[in-house]
Amino acid sequence: MSSASNPTQPSRTSKASHTSEMNQAPEASQASVSEASGASELSRGFEAGGALAGPQGAEGFGEAARAAVYRVIAERRDLRDGFLPGAVDDAVLTRILEAAHRAPSVGLTQPWDFLIIRDPARRERIRGLADRQRAAYAASLPRARAGRFDRLKVEAIREAPVNIAVTCDPTRGGPNPLGRHSQPKTAAYSVACAVQNLWLAARAEGLGVGWVSFFDERELAAELGLPGHIEVVAYLCVGHVTEFPPAPQLALSGWARRRPLAWAVHDETYGRRRLPGEASVDLIEQTITAIEPLDEAAMRDAREHQARLTKPPGSLGVLEEVAVRLAGLAGQSPPPLPEPATVAIFAADHGVHAQGVTPWPQEVTAQMVANFLAGGAVVNAFAGQVGAEVSVVDIGVAATLDAAPGLLPRKVAPGTADMTQGPAMTPDQVVQAVETGIEVARDLVSAGARCLVTGDMGIANTTASAALISAFTGLPAERVTGRGTGIDDATHTHKIDVVRAALTRHGLTSPGPAPLDVLAAVGGLEHAALAGFILGGAALRVPVVLDGVIAGAAALVAAAMCPDALGACVAGHRSAEPGHTAAVEHLGLRPLVDLELRLGEGTGALLALPLVQGAVRVMHEVATFDSAGVSGKTEVDSVTS
């Protein structure tokens, strides 16, 4: 029985519990806790006992039946191993198929069919189809992710005693079934309901089910001898298993984890998150509340561990302190390896471009986004070198971007307004952009990232960065305004004047306004999103490797909102932009690389990523003096004295 087996345990659905969900470390050891609390949430309301009467008097199930329903939902698992060779009783198999057949369907068309496959030779051929697609998927993954995938078992086609292909006939019901006219995809959605019914019934019967999706759908259809119009929706492996794990296997392996329920429930309007009967969720406030100071005990343990390693104390210099700080971030020593890593490139345009601060046309932002997605930019080359994944976030590009793999369409507005003529953003746009950054961090960590890397793209974004850095550090415009993409002296002088004029217009020549007000006045949509991205990583206790001047400006915003967020930040490099030096010095961060880079995109941070990972790997893999049988400094001194 799993740890989620007590469906009558009351759940905590207060803001404090949501903060706790945010604050869970992203390691596999946390997965069972998350799943157990999920089962508890499913069982809310059981404590009252007896049948529940609705407003019109219709009764719900009694307490025991309700408990059983919610338990089976909470304990359903997608299983890939542990199948027993014994046959599934025909009566039991019929019962779970009957449950599947009772699923709702558009127009009561029941577009599903169930093809039972037991023949070993056929299953071996089907496994070959899956293996080929599995290998192609593995080849597409970055190195760290591919290594983790290689350790996963993703199917049990041969081991499970029964395979079931669930198909969809989108023509069933004729030309005019009720409900399918405007939404033709509802046929496949109906079949998904049947699959879920089958899965839940199987769990109630003590049967494990695994859904295999590594197929070219038409190859599989041909092997199954299906007519051309029949689609394969699911291929299921079914059988008795040794045990049901306490959490999904992908969560236990560290591949992925669940989102909190409070982030997935919207009240009336998409983006207004609120659980029924509770206050609206303030993502920014909730995230900041979840950020904690570095764990002093874990850092002390890390320093003591460093002192026992087979190397002279302090010989790894700054890298030793990086490892110690990451132990404090994780609350454990050694800290988790910061891999896989994902660079998120937040792309947006800037209204201040109209002031002639750069010779580059604004269209370059969208063109470079296309280049990132095609894999042709420097950031792609560096990401490939270090085994990092690349995601591109359209937070405010002044163009319509076509859907593409790796593109996250999160546009708040088509660029900012001209900060010299008025606020660059409205207060609502700032909040939405910060929340988007928080969500992107949450989603990437939920998908398995264990290190976040900041990236950016936006013509004229160094102008907005200079204004932000001046506002937060109090330094004059001429001290923090650089040459960006390589402008000449005259343009540089003009750019300084533009930054100074914007600061004066908004009264930002001395520190004082609230961080989000400063952002609204002179910031960019990518700055706001990056600030949220940093806050989100800090709340999840995942390291965030910062790139150059745009990330530095965003980190100033994040630190002003929550100083403890800096505990998650590692300055990847020192940019050639003078504003970046001002930012990292103000933040008290030590850049790991200084190569006079000024490209952006996340390139400098990616070059530093192996240093961050190496600092932690030393803690895991280098022997101690005791374990290696090497004499420590004290013993050597005593022998030679």
Side-chain angles (χ1 to χ4, degrees), residues 302-373:
R303 290 191 180 96
E304 292 174 356
H305 185 74
Q306 289 272 7
R308 295 194 302 272
L309 297 178
T310 50
K311 63 175 183 60
S315 58
L316 291 180
V318 175
L319 295 186
E320 294 191 16
E321 188 57 28
V322 169
V324 168
R325 289 181 64 243
L326 293 189
L329 176 67
Q332 65 183 70
S333 176
L337 287 171
E339 55 184 49
T342 297
V343 55
I345 306 172
F346 291 88
D349 281 303
H350 295 261
V352 75
H353 180 275
Q355 296 301 316
V357 293
T358 173
W360 293 86
Q362 196 170 66
E363 291 79 8
V364 170
T365 301
Q367 292 165 359
M368 282 303 300
V369 167
N371 195 22
F372 299 149
L373 296 171

Side-chain angles (χ1 to χ4, degrees), residues 183-194:
Q183 294 192 53
K185 292 182 180 179
T186 48
Y189 301 159
S190 299
V191 177
C193 292

Side-chain angles (χ1 to χ4, degrees), residues 438-463:
I438 291 171
E439 285 196 277
V440 170
R442 158 71 67 175
D443 289 347
L444 293 178
V445 172
S446 293
R450 296 297 172 259
C451 183
L452 302 176
V453 181
T454 70
D456 62 86
M457 180 62 218
I459 298 301
N461 62 8
T462 59
T463 303

Side-chain angles (χ1 to χ4, degrees), residues 119-131:
D119 177 55
R122 167 161 279 185
R123 286 195 284 161
E124 190 62 39
R125 292 194 301 272
I126 291 171
R127 188 174 189 272
L129 298 179
D131 280 348

Side-chain angles (χ1 to χ4, degrees), residues 20-21 80 252 272 416 444 482:
S20 176
E21 283 186 287
R80 294 168 171 81
L252 292 172
R272 184 190 298 154
T416 57
L444 293 178

Side-chain angles (χ1 to χ4, degrees), residues 265-274:
V265 179
H266 305 257
D267 184 29
E268 299 288 353
T269 301
Y270 188 86
R272 184 190 298 154
R273 292 170 176 80
R274 184 170 71 176

Side-chain angles (χ1 to χ4, degrees), residues 386-525:
V386 301
E389 296 172 307
V390 177
S391 293
V392 183
V393 186
D394 174 11
I395 192 69
V397 178
T400 300
L401 304 179
D402 294 333
L407 177 64
L408 306 181
R410 305 290 190 271
K411 197 191 302 288
V412 172
T416 57
D418 184 349
M419 65 182 180
T420 68
Q421 305 302 306
M425 292 175 280
T426 68
D428 286 346
Q429 288 172 342
V430 170
V431 169
Q432 187 179 345
V434 173
E435 289 181 342
T436 298
I438 291 171
E439 285 196 277
V440 170
R442 158 71 67 175
D443 289 347
L444 293 178
V445 172
S446 293
R450 296 297 172 259
C451 183
L452 302 176
V453 181
T454 70
D456 62 86
M457 180 62 218
I459 298 301
N461 62 8
T462 59
T463 303
S465 297
L468 287 171
I469 293 168
S470 178
F472 282 103
T473 65
L475 294 172
E478 60 269 20
R479 286 276 304 276
V480 298
T481 306
R483 295 180 181 269
T485 51
I487 56 180
D488 58 24
D489 289 345
T491 306
H492 184 217
T493 299
H494 173 62
K495 181 177 177 180
I496 293 171
D497 291 340
V498 168
V499 172
R500 186 183 295 117
L503 293 168
T504 301
R505 177 183 181 92
H506 299 289
L508 302 179
T509 51
S510 61
L516 295 187
D517 292 337
V518 178
L519 259 179
V522 297
L525 288 158

